[in-house]
Amino acid sequence: METLSRREEEALFKATKARALKECDVVVQEFAKCASGRYFSVVWACKDQLKAMQACVYQYTNPDNMDQLRAEYIRLRREKGVTLDMALYTIVEYRDIEPTEDAGLLDPDSRGRSNTPST
């Protein structure tokens, strides 16, 4: 099995996390609003918002989803010879990632849908 270089691994994770933060924007904004103007008290005052934000981001960056993205990147690199930047665009930005706890399945109807975590 092929592996990714450290640079490729970091780029894939960074792009996936950026996509997750974009998809979880509502939850991220709620945490930012709570944390605004706080220093040490943010730890206990915004605990629920932090947990909600972490749960939302984890839906996109969980190990199963990252394994799928790595496999897709390796497939594109091997079959089509695409560059890292093009592959990141194809598999992270363009790919619809359904926020599920099991793996982040593809769903073409999920565009524009709010991706807030269920509690």
Side-chain angles (χ1 to χ4, degrees):
M1 177 172 179
E2 295 182 51
T3 59
L4 294 150
S5 69
R6 179 181 296 263
R7 178 179 172 267
E8 291 169 324
E9 186 73 37
E10 288 174 359
L12 183 63
F13 185 76
K14 184 177 178 182
T16 304
K17 187 171 181 180
R19 167 84 189 268
L21 290 172
K22 187 168 94 174
E23 294 293 328
C24 299
D25 187 58
V26 172
V27 182
V28 172
Q29 292 300 322
E30 288 174 7
F31 174 72
K33 183 177 178 182
C34 178
S36 179
R38 299 180 193 267
Y39 293 103
F40 299 110
S41 66
V42 75
V43 173
W44 60 85
C46 305
K47 181 172 48 175
D48 293 337
Q49 292 88 343
L50 176 62
K51 285 183 180 183
M53 181 180 71
Q54 289 173 332
C56 186
V57 170
Y58 184 76
Q59 294 175 52
Y60 297 92
T61 60
N62 67 58
D64 291 336
N65 193 36
M66 293 305 297
D67 287 343
Q68 287 181 355
L69 292 171
R70 276 186 212 96
E72 179 68 9
Y73 169 67
I74 289 170
R75 185 190 67 78
L76 286 171
R77 183 177 66 184
R78 183 178 52 241
E79 291 176 6
K80 303 188 190 246
V82 298
T83 64
L84 177 62
D85 292 334
M86 187 60 185
L88 289 175
Y89 173 77
T90 302
I91 63 177
V92 176
E93 290 297 322
Y94 183 69
R95 178 179 179 207
D96 286 323
I97 302 172
E98 181 67 20
T100 60
E101 294 179 66
D102 57 338
L105 305 172
L106 295 178
D107 179 10
D109 297 328
S110 68
R111 291 181 192 255
R113 187 170 39 182
S114 174
N115 292 325
T116 56
S118 57
T119 54

